[in-house]
Amino acid sequence: EYAGQKQSNKQEGWSPDGYVRLSANSARWKDSWNLTDYEANERETAHKQLIVLDLNGTVLHRASKNKGVRKGYPRPHLGEFLRFALDNFAVMVWSSAQPATIEEMLRKLLHPYYTEFVRVWDRRFCELNGRYFEKSPSIKDLQRICDGFGLDKSPFRNVYGNSEGRLGMSAEKRGHWTIDNIILVDDSESKAARNQDNHVHVATFGNPVASQMAGKPEDDDLLRLKQYLEAYVDNKDAFPSLVSYLKQHPWLEFRNAAGTPASASEAAKQPADGSGLSCAS
């Protein structure tokens, strides 16, 4: 099954209407990531360009509880976007949610793609302006990835008991990740405050049922983002870094260029600097 598509009723929790039932309350975290060996994925990747993905509001919608039920919706085109991203970049998740919540979202909404991520970072890796178990403002400082930041350096390393220091970036890869080749895909501007040049600001993905009832067109931000990054992949040698591509060809200009993905793709072929950038349609 692919994330972002309606799933079989046989798959855990999935409804024929394209949502998955999530736990109404967060489980107690046992400080053990057992989905896959992210550390091995990081050691083995040859990709030097890294996409850091937020979860809720960016690639999925985790709805509020309603009559004791919480639903999760994948953003349209999620599976298509993740397959492209994983084939052409290193990909990690960094969410300000608690780890048990993240693990459930990965397992139920990003299957099977999460097995190829190089890292999964949670709330403990963020800078928080306030207490951990409250809705404190958070910042994701991408420099921490370059510096090999680990839980042993986090002030929140023991909030669940013993910390797993191995969940930081691998010491073996220090120097592999550079700030000019990392982008953060996130619907929050404030979380990207330390790295605005690296931020790909997508519109917040809300409840798709409510959007449909309001007569809004289907969300296509991930499809547009795939096309935008295809333009970079097809012309990678023309740019010294991934961030230099963002600066020369701003994402928001591409996303808002026209009313359809096809016309947006055409717009990417005609950048303002006249360099002849092309984009696969």
Side-chain angles (χ1 to χ4, degrees):
E1 299 292 351
Y2 290 90
Q5 296 180 342
K6 292 185 179 180
Q7 311 288 321
S8 165
N9 286 330
K10 296 180 181 180
Q11 187 169 333
E12 181 182 5
W14 275 98
S15 128
D17 297 322
Y19 70 83
V20 67
R21 179 171 291 195
L22 300 174
S23 300
N25 300 301
S26 296
R28 178 68 179 175
W29 181 242
K30 298 179 181 178
D31 213 9
S32 178
W33 287 99
N34 55 17
L35 290 178
T36 193
D37 190 347
Y38 299 112
E39 186 173 7
N41 289 350
E42 186 195 4
R43 286 197 309 266
E44 294 169 5
T45 186
H47 293 300
K48 291 195 173 184
Q49 291 79 28
L50 175 64
I51 298 176
V52 181
L53 291 178
D54 175 48
L55 290 177
N56 190 29
T58 297
V59 299
L60 58 88
H61 173 65
R62 183 175 181 261
S64 300
K65 286 187 291 187
N66 183 14
K67 297 180 180 180
V69 175
R70 187 190 300 278
K71 297 177 180 179
Y73 299 87
R75 194 165 197 157
H77 311 288
L78 176 57
E80 179 183 353
F81 170 76
L82 288 176
R83 186 66 272 152
F84 163 78
L86 288 163
D87 286 345
N88 293 280
F89 302 87
V91 179
M92 69 176 279
V93 158
W94 191 353
S95 168
S96 59
Q98 295 188 46
T101 300
I102 293 172
E103 184 176 48
E104 182 181 42
M105 289 189 287
L106 293 177
R107 179 166 47 85
K108 292 186 176 181
L109 288 159
L110 274 73
H111 174 81
Y113 305 100
Y114 65 74
T115 63
E116 299 178 56
F117 296 159
V118 297
R119 287 290 164 177
V120 174
W121 277 12
D122 54 67
R123 188 171 184 79
R124 294 171 293 178
F125 292 85
C126 298
E127 295 180 24
L128 298 182
N129 184 17
R131 296 181 178 179
Y132 184 86
F133 290 106
E134 296 178 357
K135 291 186 177 180
S136 305
S138 61
I139 292 177
K140 302 171 184 177
D141 185 355
L142 300 180
Q143 188 60 43
R144 290 186 168 188
I145 295 172
C146 305
D147 294 343
F149 189 86
L151 276 183
D152 57 321
K153 301 172 185 176
S154 169
F156 310 109
R157 60 187 174 275
N158 293 320
V159 291
Y160 304 107
N162 295 327
S163 67
E164 288 189 70
R166 68 178 182 81
L167 291 179
M169 305 307 288
S170 173
E172 298 175 28
K173 302 294 280 192
R174 184 168 300 204
H176 183 85
W177 308 118
T178 58
I179 198 67
D180 59 345
N181 272 316
I182 302 175
I183 60 172
L184 172 64
V185 181
D186 202 307
D187 68 309
S188 169
E189 289 187 279
S190 61
K191 288 182 172 64
R194 295 272 188 272
N195 311 102
Q196 295 181 17
D197 288 343
N198 306 66
H199 185 206
V200 175
H201 185 207
V202 295
T204 299
F205 177 60
N207 190 316
V209 176
S211 296
Q212 185 178 27
M213 292 178 65
K216 296 180 180 179
E218 183 180 72
D219 182 280
D220 65 354
D221 260 27
L222 291 184
L223 179 59
R224 290 176 184 270
L225 181 55
K226 172 178 175 285
Q227 294 172 326
Y228 176 72
L229 292 174
E230 281 176 336
Y232 167 73
V233 170
D234 290 347
N235 298 271
K236 188 182 296 186
D237 292 343
F239 303 97
S241 68
L242 180 54
V243 173
S244 70
Y245 170 69
L246 267 63
K247 290 179 177 179
Q248 292 184 47
H249 307 285
W251 152 246
L252 290 179
E253 289 184 12
F254 174 86
R255 191 190 72 179
N256 300 327
T260 66
S263 53
S265 182
E266 287 300 316
K269 296 178 182 178
Q270 301 174 358
D273 64 5
S275 61
L277 177 65
S278 63
C279 177
S281 56

